[in-house]
């Protein structure tokens, strides 16, 4: 049914959000000539799907609602160049009963999605490793999309050239990352990223080394802003990002508190802009009548 729907809608891909394995041979037969993506929290499912030559999308959110998992799967697919930002996707998932594929949705990403892809990030001429930059940008997008405890959050990440960046910084007060050993400050660690979401509620910027270590937080940036021109409506956080990216070889990433928009600055200019996926995928409450109308 999903394959027929994908053909009639001229969809670019089928996305399966799985909680248990499928018969991969039957899936190949049913989806011939269609692009199929398999998303799951389960490494066994992903491993067997990869061996069956399906593209896989790892998730790490087993306790999240299905619409959050599906949104993340689509975001990761775009970020990893498995889908283009304008793709149309037929998604299959367990909407009612756990472990049972009982729901179909057609999602047109150009109506919902704005996020950087790896290809976009490669356009930046920077010494910051792509993995570090992508992790920082993805974290900024999550903060812009989710906020914290239902409230919008704005923040600033300065990535790379950290020694020179710190010459233009001074702490606004208590620095929550100060005193932690290096292993407890690595951006690649999911626990560290979750902690940074909490710290982002404080004023000030994060300084991150090119290797992905969080060097400092809650920092005031005082780099010179001469000869910098920004669009009207951008506040002090964006001016600070432009200034520090002009004064150093760092890449600055801002999250706007007003609308969650993420901007990437280099050499004093906005190089990329991302409009986060703000829970745009919403399903209406289903009204089900029990068998027999009782």
């Amino acid at each position: 049914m999903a394959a027929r729907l994908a053909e009639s809608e001229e969809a670019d891909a089928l996305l399966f959000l799985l909680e248990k394995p499928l018969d991969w041979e039957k899936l190949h037969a049913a989806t011939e000539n269609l692009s199929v993506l398999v998303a799951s929290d389960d490494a066994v499912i992903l491993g067997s799907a990869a061996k069956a030559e399906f593209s896989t999308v790892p998730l790490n959110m087993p306790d999240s609602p299905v619409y959050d998992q599906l949104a993340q799967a689509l975001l990761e697919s775009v970020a990893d160049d498995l889908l283009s930002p304008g793709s149309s996707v037929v998604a299959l998932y367990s909407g009612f009963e756990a472990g049972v594929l009982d729901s179909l949705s057609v999602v047109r990403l150009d109506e919902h999605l704005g996020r950087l892809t790896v290809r976009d990030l490669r356009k930046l001429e920077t010494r910051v490793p792509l993995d570090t930059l992508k992790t920082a940008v993805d974290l900024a997008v999550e903060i812009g999309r989710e906020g914290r405890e239902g409230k919008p959050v704005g923040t600033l990440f300065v990535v790379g050239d950290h020694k020179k960046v710190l010459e233009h910084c001074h702490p606004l007060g208590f620095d929550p990352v100060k005193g932690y050993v290096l292993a407890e400050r690595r951006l690649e660690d999911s626990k560290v990223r979750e902690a940074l979401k909490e710290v982002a509620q404080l004023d000030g910027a994060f300084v991150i080394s090119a290797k992905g270590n969080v060097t400092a937080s809650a920092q005031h940036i005082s780099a010179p802003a001469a000869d910098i021109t920004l669009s009207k409506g951008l506040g002090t956080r964006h001016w600070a990002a432009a200034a520090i990216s002009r004064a150093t070889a760092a890449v600055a990433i801002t999250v706007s508190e007003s609308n969650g928009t993420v901007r990437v600055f280099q050499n004093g200019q906005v190089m990329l802009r991302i409009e986060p996926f703000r829970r745009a995928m919403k399903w209406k409450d289903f009204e089900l009548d029990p068998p027999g109308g009782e």
Side-chain angles (χ1 to χ4, degrees), residues 3-12 88 90 106 108:
R4 292 197 299 270
L5 180 60
E7 291 175 353
S8 66
E9 292 290 329
E10 298 183 351
D12 298 287
S88 176
V90 174
V106 179
R108 293 178 175 83

Side-chain angles (χ1 to χ4, degrees), residues 7 26-28 31 35 38 52 73 75 132 137 140 188 191 200 223 226 242-243 261 265 268 274 278:
E7 291 175 353
K26 287 186 177 180
L27 184 59
H28 268 300
T31 59
S35 175
V38 175
L75 288 168
T132 299
V137 169
E188 64 186 19
K191 294 181 180 178
T261 299
F265 291 78
I274 314 103
R278 281 190 163 276

Side-chain angles (χ1 to χ4, degrees), residues 158-169 207-211 213 215-216 219 244 247-250:
V158 185
V159 186
D161 202 8
H162 68 283
K163 292 182 179 179
K164 192 171 182 180
V165 169
L166 288 173
E167 294 176 2
H168 297 277
C169 296
V207 179
I208 300 171
S209 73
K211 293 182 178 180
N213 302 316
T215 304
Q219 297 293 305
I244 196 65
T248 69

Side-chain angles (χ1 to χ4, degrees), residues 188-239:
E188 64 186 19
D189 188 331
S190 61
K191 294 181 180 178
V192 173
R193 294 196 299 274
E194 286 302 313
L196 294 187
K197 291 180 182 180
E198 296 290 343
V199 179
Q201 299 175 84
L202 302 177
D203 289 334
F206 293 97
V207 179
I208 300 171
S209 73
K211 293 182 178 180
N213 302 316
V214 184
T215 304
S217 65
Q219 297 293 305
H220 174 74
I221 294 175
S222 55
D227 302 322
I228 290 177
T229 302
L230 293 180
S231 302
K232 293 181 179 179
L234 296 183
T236 55
R237 181 179 294 114
H238 299 90
W239 281 94

Side-chain angles (χ1 to χ4, degrees), residues 24-25 28 47-54:
W24 304 119
E25 290 187 6
H28 268 300
S48 62
K51 287 182 180 179
E53 299 184 345
F54 289 106

Side-chain angles (χ1 to χ4, degrees), residues 114-146:
R115 181 159 174 165
L116 289 182
T117 65
V118 170
R119 188 181 300 110
D120 293 321
L121 293 177
R122 289 197 182 107
K123 295 177 183 177
L124 298 176
E125 296 180 1
T126 175
R127 295 180 181 178
V128 179
L130 181 62
D131 288 345
T132 299
L133 192 57
K134 182 177 182 298
T135 301
V137 169
D138 286 353
L139 177 58
V141 171
E142 289 177 18
I143 292 172
R145 183 180 70 243
E146 301 168 3

